[in-house]
Amino acid sequence: MAKKKPHRDGKCYFSYADIADAVSSKVTEVEEFAPDVIIAIGGGGFIPARMLRTEVNKPILAISLELYNDDTNTMRKEVMKNQWFSESHGLGSKVRGGRMLIVDEVDDSRTTLQYAVETLQRENAPAAIAVLVVHNKLKEKKGTLPKDIVYIAGDDVEDHWNAYPWDCKKYGNSIEKHEELARSCDVGRNNSLPIIQILPVLALVLLLAFSNFTMATALAPTQLPQKRVAVVGSGIGGLVTAGILSTDPSVHVTVMEKRESLGGRCESVTRTHENVTFRTETGPSLLLLPAVYEETFKLCGVDDMKEVGVDIRECEGATYGIFQQNQSDDLISLYIGGNSPPPPAMNDYMEVSNLMLEVGLPLFIENKFGYVLENPGKVLDLVKAIFKTRYNPFAPLSKTVEGLIDEKTLRPVATFQSLYVGLTPGEFKGGSVFGRACPSLFSLLSSLELLKHKGGRRLNGVYAPLGGFATITKGLQGVLEGRENVEFVLGRAVESVGEAEGGRVLVDGDIFDAAVVNVESPVAKETVLKGRGGGYYGWDEATMLSSSVLQFNFLVDRELARLRSHNIFLADNEKEEESWSALWAQDEQGLKHEGGEEFNFYVHHPRTTDASCVTSGHDILTVLVPYSHLRFDESKTKADEYEAISDVDVEKVRQIVLSRIRKAEGVNFEVLWEEQREPKGWAKEFSLPGGAVFGAAHGLGQLSVFRQRKEIDGCAGGYFVGASTSPGNGVPLVMIGARQVAEKVRRYLNT
């Protein structure tokens, strides 16, 4: 079969002839296995199985497996058999003790094949099983097959988005158009006309060339000049910007990355320790605003994220476990979110918070100012709720919560999200809502995380990307790698970005029509921009940064039962200020942790939703402890010059964290493997100012129009994207910012 390359839309199209050739090439191997029955997995396995039956005259049984619950968008703990067979009569009676050949179109994650084989072995006990797939994707598999299974692949293919002929209407194509696209994906296919047809045309061209050179020149095809765009840094902001811009074939995008891999902190790492395989997340662990992901991939030319390996599922059961100490040092637990709605005492707070989300997201974050005219009723509802509850979006979050939630023990449930924006819920340590205290408008996070989605645009709920956040990066990378107008330069640290003549941009001496800098703006201004860039930040201690975090990853020797997908450990209510003081305590060297044993922290427990993250019988935990960002000034622009946390301080925090998790679980589990990352590590590896993992702080003084704008001052054609730029931190907000930057770049190129 002809080798394939993706079409410029990122899809690799296969024709019916391609499928037939791949199946036919494996007939000999199938005959050697000598199956009694062919079992086709619907719907992709039906047509290949029928093609095979023409050459291997064996009967076909059809099955249909569903690993995911479409009603709740969650992964089932066991496979659901939508369609199976009975052993009491017909072909089903040949399965037990017989030789079965399972047929499917593609071996992608291997999860479905694993379930099919294991279910067949467990319930129907055939004598032997073989698997035939038309295409085996060359990628790391989530599922495994027993060693005694005969595995047959029609062809090994790269990890691209496969488009099959029976799905042509799904992609908006007729079958004729699909087959034409499939031919265009063939590598080395000779699409030239037969020589007998070429000769008359060639003679005419030569005649015209001799008689009228000008006319011959006019007949030559004209190629539109390509506009060149540099993307400096390949975090999510850079990849999304590149993905959107490269949908235009007249734009050539060069992505430059100092590391050897793409995605920045949106990274999943798979390891094996003493026969236990597990996966850790480097950066994000909560997937919020799934609608933003879906919309962003569509802007990048991908109609269905699953086709590029991105499968988003809502967290199972209760989303959060909240564990709070009381004055007697007991641990009070509360499970909330997902299928555990907020208590009635929080109704007023949740009502206004949800309206803040519905109105605030399109209006203040996405800058869709027409929303007011299109949805006047929704805006009026928000105004009424504000007056009814006396909700002040610009007051500290803790004060708003005090006024709306009478039960004191429930108030931390509405304020812990301050952790996710690197702020404190109240005006502690002299902080204010213009700096380090969380403004009440961030109450919209409570609506995002604690309410269920009820139709329309998917905004509410906490989700997880099956296989880890790296699937987001790999999905975008796969789209970009399939385009001829995209180039990657890895292992290259860009040294300078500046303005060139004619409104162009100079990147390390190379001229581009525009450049997008996906380096945190405070760092970019003192490194690649050489002190330029403007905006509201200077490289000094007055810069408002979010907190850093001390991160621990723990592999433990058992499965933990009481933790949910996401967990918050809170100190005693009576010591609220002390519990948050760790965020901003700094000595003259810029590094200090004053919280003692009274500090709050977050624990990610992914196995609850995605069992593929760790070998069964074990658990993997990621702990984030808010910690001071590092002080920086002009003499410390290199991360190597930052001071590291002492081993004694790290060990003290580690012991407290493990003790409180063990108390919550009620078991004394053992840690089999661990790693940690401190603020200096964040600063050095990911170019984060002061190791501030959430970028520039999100106080009122650095929000909306007061946040770093996207245009780089003094560099026409240069733009910022990332967490420190508007609209803010977090993968969905960075995606929204990247969409806005891509539109600005397009308009600039058109001028």
Side-chain angles (χ1 to χ4, degrees):
M1 188 181 79
K3 294 296 182 182
K4 292 284 187 177
K5 64 178 181 180
H7 187 64
R8 61 175 176 267
D9 64 5
K11 303 181 185 71
C12 195
Y13 292 86
F14 291 88
S15 68
Y16 278 114
D18 294 330
I19 308 302
D21 288 346
V23 171
S24 185
S25 69
K26 298 301 172 181
V27 166
T28 300
E29 293 179 45
V30 171
E31 289 176 339
E32 289 175 356
F33 175 74
D36 297 311
V37 176
I38 298 171
I39 298 179
I41 299 179
F46 291 163
I47 293 176
R50 181 59 186 86
M51 290 176 170
L52 180 66
R53 184 187 171 193
T54 300
E55 298 186 69
V56 179
N57 190 19
K58 298 295 179 182
I60 298 176
L61 270 176
I63 63 174
S64 176
L65 305 180
E66 183 181 332
L67 179 58
Y68 302 107
N69 186 331
D70 291 332
D71 294 331
T72 62
N73 285 328
T74 57
M75 187 172 74
R76 299 180 183 278
K77 294 182 178 178
E78 292 187 0
V79 66
M80 171 175 278
K81 299 190 290 291
N82 286 339
Q83 179 179 324
W84 204 249
F85 53 84
S86 170
E87 291 188 31
S88 63
H89 62 279
L91 292 179
S93 63
K94 296 185 178 183
V95 176
R96 188 169 296 272
R99 300 176 67 82
M100 301 297 112
L101 174 67
I102 298 174
V103 176
D104 207 356
E105 89 274 37
V106 62
D107 182 3
D108 190 340
S109 65
R110 198 163 286 172
T111 305
T112 302
L113 285 176
Q114 176 181 339
Y115 274 102
V117 169
E118 290 178 350
T119 304
L120 196 63
Q121 288 178 325
R122 182 177 64 251
E123 300 188 7
N124 305 107
I129 299 176
V131 169
L132 168 66
V133 293
V134 179
H135 295 131
N136 169 43
K137 286 192 177 182
L138 299 174
K139 60 184 289 187
E140 182 180 349
K141 309 294 187 183
K142 297 178 187 177
T144 58
L145 296 176
K147 293 182 179 179
D148 60 344
I149 298 299
V150 176
Y151 183 83
I152 306 170
D155 200 9
D156 292 328
V157 297
E158 296 298 322
D159 186 14
H160 297 305
W161 179 351
N162 288 1
Y164 293 103
W166 45 83
D167 289 327
C168 63
K169 295 295 183 182
K170 176 180 177 181
Y171 305 125
N173 298 319
S174 65
I175 187 60
E176 292 80 8
K177 178 63 176 176
H178 179 97
E179 297 292 282
E180 178 185 337
L181 290 168
R183 288 192 295 273
S184 73
C185 290
D186 290 347
V187 175
R189 176 181 288 273
N190 182 6
N191 292 317
S192 59
L193 293 170
I195 190 66
I196 193 68
Q197 297 180 32
I198 292 176
L199 286 176
V201 177
L202 181 59
L204 177 60
V205 171
L206 289 174
L207 177 62
L208 289 171
F210 280 112
S211 62
N212 190 330
F213 179 78
T214 303
M215 183 179 291
T217 303
L219 288 175
T222 301
Q223 183 176 0
L224 292 175
Q226 279 196 324
K227 298 294 181 71
R228 300 183 69 216
V229 177
V231 174
V232 180
S234 70
I236 288 297
L239 292 179
V240 169
T241 306
I244 296 173
L245 291 175
S246 62
T247 57
D248 182 350
S250 71
V251 176
H252 185 278
V253 180
T254 302
V255 180
M256 305 172 187
E257 169 58 50
K258 74 171 186 177
R259 304 170 79 216
E260 295 296 336
S261 59
L262 303 175
R265 284 169 284 163
C266 195
E267 178 182 58
S268 309
V269 181
T270 300
R271 300 178 175 89
T272 299
H273 175 78
E274 296 182 355
N275 297 322
V276 179
T277 300
F278 57 97
R279 184 180 66 245
T280 59
E281 301 294 330
T282 300
S285 55
L286 295 96
L287 195 152
L288 305 175
L289 294 167
V292 173
Y293 288 77
E294 295 162 352
E295 294 158 3
T296 299
F297 271 88
K298 286 182 180 179
L299 289 173
C300 292
V302 179
D303 291 331
D304 185 352
M305 294 187 300
K306 291 182 181 179
E307 296 290 346
V308 292
V310 179
D311 193 354
I312 292 175
R313 299 293 172 181
E314 190 167 9
C315 291
E316 287 193 345
T319 306
Y320 274 102
I322 310 291
F323 303 94
Q324 185 170 30
Q325 291 173 291
N326 60 19
Q327 295 183 39
S328 303
D329 204 31
D330 296 324
L331 206 61
I332 302 170
S333 61
L334 171 68
Y335 294 96
I336 197 168
N339 64 0
S340 299
M346 295 182 66
N347 283 351
D348 287 346
Y349 173 77
M350 296 307 301
E351 177 188 357
V352 71
S353 298
N354 196 48
L355 287 168
M356 279 297 299
L357 171 63
E358 292 184 7
V359 176
L361 177 67
L363 193 56
F364 301 115
I365 296 177
E366 297 177 307
N367 295 335
K368 296 178 179 178
F369 301 114
Y371 180 87
V372 175
L373 297 177
E374 296 170 3
N375 301 273
K378 190 65 67 176
V379 176
L380 184 60
D381 288 342
L382 174 60
V383 173
K384 290 179 180 177
I386 287 175
F387 279 101
K388 170 188 171 184
T389 61
R390 296 183 180 179
Y391 170 90
N392 181 357
F394 306 115
L397 182 60
S398 58
K399 285 190 176 181
T400 296
V401 169
E402 285 176 15
L404 293 179
I405 302 177
D406 293 331
E407 293 186 25
K408 192 173 182 179
T409 56
L410 287 178
R411 291 173 185 169
V413 176
T415 61
F416 73 77
Q417 287 95 346
S418 302
L419 284 166
Y420 301 155
V421 288
L423 298 174
T424 65
E427 294 179 324
F428 308 140
K429 294 286 181 180
S432 73
V433 291
F434 288 94
R436 296 164 176 168
C438 185
S440 292
L441 56 86
F442 278 104
S443 65
L444 59 84
L445 291 172
S446 295
S447 173
L448 280 179
E449 300 184 20
L450 303 182
L451 295 180
K452 292 283 287 183
H453 171 63
K454 294 182 179 179
R457 194 180 182 199
R458 272 207 301 174
L459 301 180
N460 306 97
V462 180
Y463 298 74
L466 299 184
F469 268 85
T471 61
I472 310 295
T473 298
K474 290 179 180 177
L476 291 168
Q477 181 179 349
V479 171
L480 294 172
E481 287 178 339
R483 293 175 178 167
E484 295 180 356
N485 59 329
V486 178
E487 174 187 5
F488 292 100
V489 181
L490 301 182
R492 172 183 171 181
V494 172
E495 295 183 359
S496 68
V497 176
E499 192 171 39
E501 292 183 3
R504 295 182 179 176
V505 184
L506 205 60
V507 180
D508 282 354
D510 195 2
I511 295 179
F512 291 84
D513 295 282
V516 177
V517 178
N518 189 202
V519 180
E520 294 299 323
S521 54
V523 172
K525 291 173 183 178
E526 294 304 318
T527 54
V528 296
L529 294 174
K530 309 301 181 187
R532 301 186 305 274
Y536 303 100
Y537 308 126
W539 188 268
D540 56 42
E541 62 186 52
T543 301
M544 289 293 181
L545 294 178
S546 65
S547 70
S548 185
V549 296
L550 183 56
Q551 181 188 58
F552 298 95
N553 289 321
F554 297 121
L555 173 68
V556 302
D557 64 345
R558 66 191 65 199
E559 295 182 357
L560 305 182
R562 296 183 182 176
L563 295 185
R564 303 308 304 155
S565 292
H566 305 284
N567 306 271
I568 301 293
F569 285 77
L570 297 167
D572 181 5
N573 253 350
E574 301 301 323
K575 300 178 180 179
E576 184 181 16
E577 180 166 350
E578 292 90 336
S579 69
W580 290 97
S581 65
L583 286 175
W584 308 117
Q586 290 188 338
D587 59 17
E588 292 181 358
Q589 284 70 45
L591 182 65
K592 194 174 182 181
H593 189 290
E594 288 185 348
E597 297 187 6
E598 302 295 337
F599 59 84
N600 310 315
F601 61 93
Y602 160 83
V603 179
H604 183 212
H605 176 234
R607 185 183 54 79
T608 301
T609 299
D610 186 359
S612 71
C613 68
V614 64
T615 300
S616 61
H618 302 78
D619 242 323
I620 187 72
L621 304 176
T622 294
V623 179
L624 301 180
V625 181
Y627 217 93
S628 305
H629 64 70
L630 308 177
R631 189 183 301 276
F632 56 91
D633 54 39
E634 291 181 359
S635 66
K636 292 184 178 180
T637 57
K638 295 182 179 179
D640 285 335
E641 297 173 358
Y642 288 131
E643 182 182 356
I645 302 174
S646 73
D647 292 341
V648 173
D649 286 344
V650 173
E651 182 58 23
K652 177 183 176 182
V653 173
R654 174 186 177 276
Q655 291 294 344
I656 293 171
V657 163
L658 287 173
S659 173
R660 292 175 69 183
I661 297 175
R662 285 173 175 138
K663 181 183 286 189
E665 274 295 319
V667 295
N668 189 27
F669 58 79
E670 295 297 324
V671 176
L672 304 178
W673 171 93
E674 62 185 283
E675 70 170 354
Q676 66 191 44
R677 182 179 281 110
E678 60 163 319
K680 181 175 180 177
W682 292 110
K684 184 174 182 179
E685 188 172 354
F686 300 104
S687 298
L688 299 177
V693 295
F694 307 106
H698 292 76
L700 293 178
Q702 293 179 170
L703 278 183
S704 188
V705 296
F706 300 112
R707 200 164 182 80
Q708 173 63 59
R709 68 193 192 100
K710 298 175 179 68
E711 292 83 359
I712 299 177
D713 289 351
C715 184
Y719 298 86
F720 285 121
V721 71
S724 291
T725 311
S726 65
N729 85 287
V731 175
L733 264 64
V734 170
M735 284 181 163
I736 290 170
R739 286 151 47 169
Q740 295 166 349
V741 167
E743 184 57 35
K744 286 178 178 290
V745 173
R746 278 179 170 168
R747 288 200 298 266
Y748 184 79
L749 294 178
N750 288 337
T751 62

